[in-house]
Amino acid sequence: MALKRGLSGVNRIRGSGGGSRSVLGLLIFFCVFAPLCFFVGRGVYIDSSNDYSIVSVKQNLDWRERLAMQSVRSLFSKEILDVIATSTADLGPLSLDSFKKNNLSASWRGTGVDPSFRHSENPATPDVKSNNLNEKRDSISKDSIHQKVETPTKIHRRQLREKRREMRANELVQHNDDTILKLENAAIERSKSVDSAVLGKYSIWRRENENDNSDSNIRLMRDQVIMARVYSGIAKLKNKNDLLQELQARLKDSQRVLGEATSDADLPRSAHEKLRAMGQVLAKAKMQLYDCKLVTGKLRAMLQTADEQVRSLKKQSTFLAQLAAKTIPNPIHCLSMRLTIDYYLLSPEKRKFPRSENLENPNLYHYALFSDNVLAASVVVNSTIMNAKDPSKHVFHLVTDKLNFGAMNMWFLLNPPGKATIHVENVDEFKWLNSSYCPVLRQLESAAMREYYFKADHPTSGSSNLKYRNPKYLSMLNHLRFYLPEVYPKLNKILFLDDDIIVQKDLTPLWEVNLNGKVNGAVETCGESFHRFDKYLNFSNPHIARNFNPNACGWAYGMNMFDLKEWKKRDITGIYHKWQNMNENRTLWKLGTLPPGLITFYGLTHPLNKAWHVLGLGYNPSIDKKDIENAAVVHYNGNMKPWLELAMSKYRPYWTKYIKFDHPYLRRCNLHE
């Protein structure tokens, strides 16, 4: 009775529809397949390639297999085994692959094309086992089990799918090695283009969306302000006064909330309310005022206005930067004034420097330094002496203006450079340096030059010319470098130094450099195209075009070894005067000393090793640290001088280490690092 109840339960489950296959699958697995797997491991072999069913297995058992089947029969009655066999017949031949691939789901099916019949490997030979199995299936299905037969439409669809799979497989197989190689090369090229791209540049929107701190609120508020201005203009044009007032009120609220904020964290708590209120007003304005042409025109007008404002601010910024770079900071001005007062309180006997006999000795190492900055001059002298092997052989010739003459003398009287010799002169006492001899002085006295320098609203006072409207170009301290033989007539060689440099190594080997008959020894700066002659000179002028090569290499003022004997032989000062007279209307070059220097020493400059002189610390933030540390002289050329607040902090320590900030004068003038 129990078996009959179990059998009737099985039949009821099978007749229940879609869930019968899952239940039967589990029953088959636990009742038949699991015991068989156990015996397979002990020597029973089931050929899954031929998909033997239970009946075919029973006909080919050896003595071990018979023993296994007897164990199975002892567990189940004949009726249950018949039901199991019938169920497997409905589902198709039993195989291990069918269980693995389909994972015992409700959609599992047999591995054959048609569950009602199987063909052997040789189609001409009938399969006896398959025929016996089919007969048994037919008899069982007719008696008690409702067999589910696939319709011809489903069989046809399945056959079409299999054909498509075969076609795709054949296409992949037919790809030869050349085609695969082309595909691989194309993929490599695509990967190179992606690897060489800067991350985030080709997909900025994706980058913003992936950023958790994208400050979306502040960007949205700024966009709302722009659109509110657009709609305000349109509302005023169309006499929508109520909407105009509402837009202006919300615009003021949003601008007040934005204030100086640069990120969402800077916004107040009321920002979200202002965002929503502005959004509602903009939605209302869009419904009433939106017109594509009007909105486009307003946005274009706003863009042009913003562009003009940017240009104006850039011009103003350039002017202020130039002004800040050329003004003297208050502490340095204080230092100069205090030193000047104390100097003129000294008696004439105490104003003299020792070792004055070395000033004209050609066998010593002579330096020329022209400056009106006491602190900068002291750094140049201190750094040179601290790195010199024998300071007693070094002689410093300082020239300053009348205003700073007392301060410069007083500083070095209080802080003598050890055993080195120093001498300070006043450029205003050079009586031979007058307008009848010097073209620059004569040009500075002209009305046109005064107008160029002192008329603020001059039409050519663009940002490109602001750097040339520099007070240093009015001072003869800047042009005195072209008169070295007249200033030091008894010297053979002299090393010219700017006041914005520091010395890091012993410079005495420079006097041993063979200049090969040249007058000027300097480091060339033509590593890049913009440091060639065409950068500094006007090659549209025929005088320049006939005499100079636009690709000739430029060189640096700031550390120059001059052979004064060759200077006199070649009349370098006369060459300078000739070209300076031709440039009275500034048609050959702008104001400054480098362009006339390039012209005057054209073909007469010997290139020094670049390690002697490294430039750019006053404008270039990307100089290699190793180049700076290995350089003999470091030059802060540019606007960001180390004594200004504009200075780059990464380069400032190279300069400040040669200053004693605990000096009484520096403390009284609040000079600190």
Side-chain angles (χ1 to χ4, degrees), residues 70 72 78 185 194 218 259 267 330 352 372 421 550 574 638 658 666:
Q70 288 176 3
V72 173
K78 183 177 182 303
N185 292 336
V194 174
I218 196 168
L267 294 174
N330 285 335
K352 295 181 180 179
D372 58 358
T421 303
Y658 295 105
L666 301 185

Side-chain angles (χ1 to χ4, degrees), residues 330-332 334-335 338 661 663-673:
N330 285 335
I332 297 180
C334 167
L335 175 65
R338 288 182 178 274
F661 288 97
H663 193 280
Y665 280 89
L666 301 185
R667 287 202 308 269
R668 276 185 283 177
C669 292
N670 296 322
L671 267 166
H672 51 81
E673 294 188 53

Side-chain angles (χ1 to χ4, degrees), residues 461-477:
S461 60
S463 60
S464 61
N465 294 322
L466 287 175
K467 61 185 286 187
Y468 302 108
R469 300 169 185 276
N470 194 318
K472 73 178 183 179
Y473 299 133
L474 299 174
S475 172
M476 279 310 299
L477 288 177

Side-chain angles (χ1 to χ4, degrees), residues 31-253:
C31 296
V32 178
F33 186 68
L36 287 179
C37 290
F38 171 77
F39 288 106
V40 167
R42 299 178 63 90
V44 179
Y45 174 75
I46 297 177
D47 188 0
S48 60
S49 62
N50 290 327
D51 292 333
Y52 286 149
S53 64
I54 300 292
V55 178
S56 60
V57 170
K58 288 164 61 178
Q59 294 178 356
N60 293 280
L61 293 175
D62 56 8
W63 66 274
R64 291 183 180 177
E65 294 168 347
R66 293 191 188 95
L67 181 60
M69 289 306 299
Q70 288 176 3
S71 301
V72 173
R73 285 173 183 153
S74 64
L75 296 173
F76 303 99
S77 65
K78 183 177 182 303
E79 289 84 358
I80 293 178
L81 290 177
D82 290 340
V83 171
I84 294 172
T86 304
S87 301
T88 57
D90 291 342
L91 299 172
L94 182 65
S95 68
L96 295 175
D97 293 337
S98 64
F99 288 101
K100 293 179 180 177
K101 293 179 180 178
N102 296 290
N103 198 21
L104 299 177
S105 66
S107 61
W108 67 304
R109 63 175 182 269
T111 58
V113 175
D114 191 350
S116 62
F117 64 93
R118 294 287 296 177
H119 291 287
S120 63
E121 294 180 359
N122 186 4
T125 304
D127 193 343
V128 179
K129 298 176 183 179
S130 299
N131 291 337
N132 293 335
L133 179 59
N134 291 336
E135 291 176 1
K136 191 172 185 67
R137 286 177 184 170
D138 294 339
S139 61
I140 296 174
S141 60
K142 288 178 182 180
D143 294 338
S144 60
I145 303 173
H146 300 284
Q147 182 180 3
K148 185 177 180 181
V149 181
E150 290 187 356
T151 62
T153 303
K154 292 183 178 180
I155 296 173
H156 181 65
R157 289 177 179 173
R158 186 170 64 251
Q159 290 174 352
L160 289 177
R161 286 195 298 269
E162 291 178 354
K163 287 181 181 179
R164 284 196 296 269
R165 293 192 191 100
E166 291 178 0
M167 291 175 62
R168 286 196 295 269
N170 292 333
E171 289 177 358
L172 292 174
V173 172
Q174 289 175 359
H175 279 298
N176 54 18
D177 295 339
D178 295 337
T179 305
I180 294 174
L181 184 60
K182 291 179 181 179
L183 292 174
E184 291 177 352
N185 292 336
I188 291 171
E189 293 299 325
R190 287 195 299 271
S191 66
K192 286 180 179 178
S193 63
V194 174
D195 291 340
S196 60
V198 180
L199 294 179
K201 293 295 183 183
Y202 57 88
S203 182
I204 58 174
W205 294 109
R206 180 179 179 185
R207 183 182 182 186
E208 286 184 359
N209 291 333
E210 290 178 353
N211 187 4
D212 295 335
N213 299 319
S214 57
D215 297 325
S216 57
N217 290 333
I218 196 168
R219 291 203 310 273
L220 179 57
M221 292 192 73
R222 288 171 179 169
D223 292 342
Q224 286 181 340
V225 167
I226 294 172
M227 292 310 301
R229 290 174 178 171
V230 172
Y231 285 129
S232 296
I234 298 175
K236 186 176 181 180
L237 183 65
K238 294 187 175 183
N239 295 323
K240 299 284 186 178
N241 295 326
D242 295 339
L243 186 57
L244 175 61
Q245 292 178 1
E246 193 173 358
L247 283 168
Q248 289 178 347
R250 296 302 179 190
L251 186 59
K252 289 180 180 179
D253 291 341

Side-chain angles (χ1 to χ4, degrees), residues 10 57 62 71 109 143 228 232 273 296 406 469 472 500 543 588 592 605 628 633:
V10 170
V57 170
D62 56 8
S71 301
R109 63 175 182 269
D143 294 338
S232 296
E273 297 178 2
T296 304
R469 300 169 185 276
K472 73 178 183 179
D500 55 352
H543 297 289
L588 305 184
T605 300
I628 296 175
V633 171

